[in-house]
Amino acid sequence: MREMLNKYIFLIACFLGSIAAVAQPVVVPPPTPPPPGLPIDGGVLVLLVLGLLFGFYKIYVFTEKKKRSV
């Protein structure tokens, strides 16, 4: 009888322990700060022109290498 009582006490303790583990409060992380308000239109046109020039340069170099290899 004593052994049966110990099993029930153990089961009840495990059950109550699991409830206590699940019932912990959720810690909400702090919100992330907003991104800085920097304008993006200041140098976009210059960056676009430089990208186009670099693309034309790479195409030119590729075609020159192709002409020389033949």
Side-chain angles (χ1 to χ4, degrees):
M1 185 68 167
R2 178 87 174 147
E3 189 176 313
M4 189 70 104
L5 183 62
N6 285 343
K7 285 183 184 179
Y8 285 130
I9 291 173
F10 178 73
L11 287 174
I12 290 172
C14 287
F15 179 70
L16 291 176
S18 65
I19 289 176
V22 173
Q24 297 297 320
V26 177
V27 178
V28 179
T32 58
L38 300 175
I40 59 167
D41 22 322
V44 172
L45 185 60
V46 173
L47 188 62
L48 181 66
V49 169
L50 288 175
L52 286 172
L53 289 174
F54 182 69
F56 287 134
Y57 169 74
K58 292 302 270 185
I59 291 171
Y60 174 75
V61 168
F62 179 73
T63 54
E64 287 297 316
K65 282 185 179 179
K66 196 171 183 182
K67 286 180 186 176
R68 290 183 189 169
S69 66
V70 172

